[in-house]
Amino acid sequence: MGLKVAVLMGGQSFEREFSLESGKLVCDALKEAGHRVVPLDTTSDLVPTLRSEKPDVVYNALHGKHGEDGTIQSLLEFLGIPFVGSPASVCHRAYNKDALHSSVNKYREISGDTGIASWPQGVFISKDAFKDMGAATALDLVPERVIGGFPVAVKPAHGGSALGIHKVTNADDLGEAILDALSYDDAVNIEQWIDGVELAVSILGSGWDAQALPPVEIIAKGEFYDSDARLNADKVELICPVRPESLSTDPAEAEAIRAEIERAALEVYRAYSVRDLGRIDMIWDGAQAKCFEVDVSPGMTSRSLFPTACKAAGLTMPAVMDRLVSVAAGRAAFER
């Protein structure tokens, strides 16, 4: 008989609906793989329920706050329950979009790798500084602080599903975009808007055994791949693997660029010490892979990027879920 797997989903973050959809797909795949599944919403009864159910392993399908910031991971570590995914310390670091460049640079110093991944340049402003310390009166400095000036991307410093993200083309719209982003978080990033081919590289495995799946090319019908497009299949086209002609008119060069994109994603993944699975979001700007997010709990809905990449790689979701829970359940206590 298979493992007893508790699947955590829902929660109280802004991404609750995404999580419930992800959790359903995960539960279905695990059942098909022969495992016993216990679906759990993360209410105040979560800990007593986990202690009563005594699952062999937990799959965390929570998204956003508490699911990706290290909260649920630290709880599971405290309870001594093995789980799929990265440990709390890794999740806490990856949740902060502003820390991307420093984490990768530190990895390069330690590993001696010269590195190929890059990232958008920008500034970080906290809600307190904006609302209580007068930072709102200094927004005229943004074009000087962000290379290239407008347009800029305004986004919550933490979180996912493109909630609160805006493309701002002029100073008049900047304040409103910042206030909306701050309604989702206590800090905001204002950074270069990078035009190019939007890509998501999903990864399976850990460390040097990690494997990049085929990059997904994201073609949004609107201005960018926003939260509405993630819920509405009619507003986005996902192509996997990325079309060679999107990278170069020369087939050999396109193949080399795709390999560089996958290497850049693996570099960031390893820099953060992401474990089991993850997704690196990036834009190919014609010269470099600009990485802008590390997702330690990829979406698992029927429209999500991770399942799309698995399908292109010839992997079924039951097989992927079976592999993930089996590896996590077999992990020694000191590795958890």
Side-chain angles (χ1 to χ4, degrees):
M1 184 172 261
L3 297 166
K4 185 176 185 179
V5 186
V7 178
L8 307 187
M9 64 182 82
Q12 301 304 314
S13 81
F14 292 110
E15 300 175 62
R16 175 177 172 81
E17 295 307 315
F18 290 97
S19 173
L20 289 171
E21 283 198 56
S22 287
K24 183 180 184 307
L25 185 146
V26 170
C27 288
D28 291 344
L30 286 168
K31 289 175 185 175
E32 190 173 337
H35 298 288
R36 294 166 290 156
V37 177
V38 182
L40 294 176
D41 204 337
T42 53
T43 66
S44 58
D45 294 326
L46 178 63
V47 170
T49 303
L50 285 172
R51 298 187 76 183
S52 172
E53 290 285 352
K54 297 181 172 59
D56 298 309
V57 63
V58 164
Y59 187 97
N60 170 36
L62 295 168
H63 302 318
K65 189 176 181 181
H66 297 163
E68 298 181 68
D69 62 1
T71 300
I72 197 67
Q73 293 80 7
S74 61
L75 174 61
L76 294 170
E77 288 167 358
F78 171 67
L79 295 174
I81 304 173
F83 59 92
V84 173
S86 299
S89 58
V90 170
C91 296
H92 180 73
R93 187 166 67 250
Y95 197 61
N96 182 3
K97 295 182 179 70
D98 193 54
L100 176 60
H101 62 285
S102 59
S103 296
V104 176
N105 283 341
K106 184 176 180 181
Y107 165 78
R108 289 172 179 170
E109 290 173 11
I110 294 171
S111 67
D113 192 340
T114 55
I116 55 175
S118 184
W119 44 84
Q121 180 272 340
V123 295
F124 171 95
I125 303 175
S126 72
K127 179 183 287 187
D128 289 344
F130 187 78
K131 290 189 171 181
D132 301 331
M133 300 179 186
T137 66
L139 296 183
D140 58 299
L141 297 175
V142 166
E144 300 175 28
R145 298 290 185 266
V146 178
I147 293 174
F150 293 106
V152 298
V154 174
K155 60 178 70 174
H158 311 90
S161 300
L163 294 169
I165 296 181
H166 297 267
K167 180 180 181 180
V168 180
T169 59
N170 59 77
D172 292 339
D173 297 333
L174 191 56
E176 184 179 350
I178 291 173
L179 284 174
D180 184 63
L182 289 174
S183 71
Y184 292 95
D185 193 27
D186 59 4
V188 64
N189 282 355
I190 307 171
E191 61 189 35
Q192 293 170 286
W193 183 270
I194 307 295
D195 286 313
V197 183
E198 189 166 1
L199 301 163
V201 182
S202 298
I203 298 175
L204 272 172
S206 305
W208 293 104
D209 292 327
Q211 165 197 6
L213 302 181
V216 180
E217 180 180 355
I218 302 164
I219 304 173
K221 304 296 176 65
E223 200 158 31
F224 64 98
Y225 188 41
D226 59 14
S227 56
D228 191 31
R230 295 173 193 230
L231 287 169
N232 189 338
D234 294 334
K235 295 193 175 183
V236 65
E237 183 179 3
L238 303 178
I239 301 174
C240 191
V242 56
R243 297 169 297 178
E245 59 268 28
S246 296
L247 304 177
S248 174
T249 55
D250 178 75
E253 184 178 50
E255 185 177 350
I257 291 172
R258 174 177 161 178
E260 182 174 342
I261 286 166
E262 292 175 2
R263 287 198 302 272
L266 283 167
E267 179 189 15
V268 173
Y269 188 87
R270 291 172 179 142
Y272 274 89
S273 299
V274 179
R275 186 175 71 184
D276 296 340
L277 79 165
R279 195 188 72 235
I280 310 301
D281 296 337
M282 60 176 65
I283 291 176
W284 175 256
D285 68 359
Q288 287 182 307
K290 298 278 190 178
C291 304
F292 56 86
E293 185 165 351
V294 180
D295 193 332
V296 296
S297 182
M300 293 292 175
T301 74
S302 59
R303 302 177 302 279
S304 292
L305 301 162
F306 191 96
T308 300
C310 287
K311 183 177 180 180
L315 303 172
T316 67
M317 292 313 296
V320 169
M321 290 299 150
D322 179 64
R323 169 181 166 180
L324 289 170
V325 298
S326 298
V327 168
R331 220 171 254 143
F334 66 85
E335 293 181 302
R336 296 172 190 162

